[in-house]
Amino acid sequence: MLNPSRIKAITLDLDDTLWPIWPTIARAETALTNWLADRAPATVGLLAQPEVKRQIRADTEAQFAHLAHDLGVIRREAIRLALQRAGDDPALAEPAFEVFFDARHQVDLFADALPALEALSARYPLVALTNGNADIGRVGLARYFKGALSARDFGVGKPDPRIFHAAAALVGTAAEDTLHVGDDAHLDGVGGLGAGMQFVWVNRAGHDWAHASCQPHLTVADLQTLVDRLV
């Protein structure tokens, strides 16, 4: 059961907690395809084949396994590999990735996200904690956060307890005095609980909790329910 009296800070996941990620990625991929259409049409044709696209991603992940925590590197190098295999100019990978990355930050927040950020940030220091590559400044949410930590910057991602401890340390709190909030039962839940934090599972889709060895301190269908418990 959640113990609000122990909470001195909150670490907060981004993708699928504050906004839905897959519609965002789909729009970013469309922007990338449109940009490549006149510059690298053979690459567009190659990536239009789902099996080929999956293989390029798998080959990139294998080549850059040591950078698996940096999704930006994986995305950029997958674009580069596609360009190479299609016979287009691999130097286009850098500007192409910037087109994708810019569109990746054009997110549609869940309706409860901004009111929750306003309420929670007025009471607790918030730290963005993500395995993704979203930048809270580019998204326009930096004013609500005292800090941000990504797997890309830290070198390992959730569920490794070290990244949770480092996120809490950004605002000077111990893990046991920190609440982690996120949507992923394994990355956020098992990770946060294993790091010694309280954990609130944002379960918008009504999934079953699949980890018998631990349980969230609270499960909510939206962030407003969390605000109602804390503020």
Side-chain angles (χ1 to χ4, degrees):
M1 182 176 294
L2 189 68
N3 183 357
S5 67
R6 292 293 306 274
I7 300 169
K8 296 180 180 178
I10 296 175
T11 56
L12 190 63
D13 176 57
L14 300 177
D15 294 328
D16 282 332
T17 297
L18 297 183
W19 57 76
I21 185 56
W22 293 115
T24 304
I25 295 299
R27 289 195 300 270
E29 290 188 338
T30 297
L32 172 64
T33 298
N34 291 341
W35 188 87
L36 288 172
D38 294 332
R39 299 167 176 85
T43 300
V44 172
L46 194 67
L47 293 175
Q49 305 172 58
E51 290 186 5
V52 174
K53 184 177 180 179
R54 283 193 294 270
Q55 189 60 54
I56 288 172
R57 178 75 178 204
D59 291 346
T60 303
E61 290 174 346
Q63 182 180 355
F64 294 91
H66 61 296
L67 294 174
H69 59 276
D70 191 334
L71 299 182
V73 168
I74 299 301
R75 174 71 64 170
R76 186 183 66 242
E77 294 309 318
I79 295 170
R80 193 185 313 279
L81 182 58
L83 289 162
Q84 291 172 340
R85 290 186 177 176
D88 288 320
D89 183 2
L92 290 172
E94 300 288 345
F97 173 74
E98 287 305 317
V99 169
F100 173 89
F101 199 50
D102 182 65
R104 186 258 187 273
H105 285 92
Q106 297 171 24
V107 302
D108 293 325
L109 296 171
F110 290 118
D112 55 283
L114 272 181
L117 288 171
E118 290 172 356
L120 294 173
S121 64
R123 181 163 182 176
Y124 304 97
L126 304 184
V127 177
L129 180 57
T130 180
N131 279 10
N133 53 14
D135 182 316
I136 55 173
R138 292 181 72 160
V139 173
L141 299 178
R143 64 188 181 276
Y144 298 111
F145 293 90
K146 297 297 185 183
L149 190 61
S150 69
R152 175 191 61 196
D153 296 332
F154 188 65
V156 298
K158 300 175 290 185
D160 192 302
R162 291 174 292 175
I163 194 170
F164 290 92
H165 294 159
L170 284 178
V171 287
T173 58
E176 58 267 25
D177 298 323
T178 306
L179 171 67
H180 181 63
V181 179
D183 73 286
D184 192 292
H186 177 62
L187 299 179
D188 293 304
V190 174
L193 292 166
M197 294 180 171
Q198 293 191 73
F199 171 62
V200 171
W201 186 28
V202 183
N203 183 18
R204 297 181 184 275
H207 295 304
D208 292 329
W209 180 261
H211 304 280
S213 63
C214 58
Q215 293 291 325
H217 292 83
L218 178 67
T219 299
V220 298
D222 55 67
L223 292 172
Q224 184 58 49
T225 304
L226 173 62
V227 170
D228 292 342
R229 289 292 300 272
L230 296 181
V231 177

